[in-house]
Amino acid sequence: MILRMCLKGGEKLKVREVIKEKTGYCIKSTSILNQTFLRSSLAAETGRNSNEIFEFIGDHVLSFYVVKLVSEKCGSLSTTTCDYTFRIRENKFTQIKQTMLSNQTLAEIIDDWDIAKYLLLSKSDIKN
């Protein structure tokens, strides 16, 4: 079995299109694009950098936007007292955030975007 070490020409174009369409962001750098899809197990085997730093940053960016979205929909600032209040309880807010950021929800998005096939995997990843 030959493992892919980087995305091929047509794959790069397709992934760039999907990411641009879904997020509005264009990954111009080919090396960054490849790293975005490079799993840590293959990176360890090849001495390259994996996508883990992007996962870390992405988790925090997603968390920020979910908090912002829920705050805009469920919170308000009182013009008389200058207090910020939520129309839902904090535990409900936390539950909404956890649901939106769950591995299952994110996996469904990856499936919907049809980009899992572009992951650069090691032999152990493929077996699993």
Side-chain angles (χ1 to χ4, degrees):
M1 170 188 294
I2 298 173
L3 298 176
R4 297 179 311 134
M5 302 304 286
C6 60
L7 297 171
K8 299 174 192 167
E11 291 176 328
K12 286 185 250 184
L13 290 174
K14 179 63 179 165
V15 169
R16 282 186 172 123
E17 286 174 15
V18 171
I19 292 171
K20 175 80 171 160
E21 174 191 328
K22 301 294 185 178
T23 69
Y25 183 78
C26 179
I27 300 175
K28 295 177 184 175
S29 166
T30 298
S31 62
I32 295 293
L33 186 65
N34 282 317
Q35 185 179 350
T36 301
F37 288 87
L38 184 63
R39 298 283 296 148
S40 59
S41 56
L42 183 58
E45 290 176 11
T46 60
R48 296 166 60 200
N49 291 318
S50 74
N51 61 1
E52 287 184 353
I53 188 65
F54 298 135
E55 285 184 23
F56 176 79
I57 293 167
D59 287 346
H60 291 284
V61 170
L62 281 172
S63 182
F64 170 79
Y65 278 103
V66 167
V67 168
K68 183 178 183 292
L69 176 70
V70 175
S71 296
E72 289 170 353
K73 299 289 183 191
C74 301
S76 62
L77 181 63
S78 168
T79 55
T80 56
T81 64
C82 292
D83 289 335
Y84 184 83
T85 59
F86 251 13
R87 292 185 293 277
I88 60 173
R89 291 186 172 208
E90 183 182 349
N91 63 340
K92 182 65 174 170
F93 169 76
T94 301
Q95 191 177 47
I96 292 168
K97 181 180 169 214
Q98 286 174 341
T99 300
M100 292 178 78
L101 296 175
S102 73
N103 285 342
Q104 180 178 342
T105 301
L106 297 175
E108 289 170 6
I109 292 168
I110 289 170
D111 288 344
D112 182 55
W113 291 11
D114 196 29
I115 59 174
K117 63 188 171 195
Y118 300 115
L119 286 172
L120 302 169
L121 307 170
S122 70
K123 291 177 186 177
S124 62
D125 284 327
I126 294 168
K127 287 178 189 174
N128 293 334

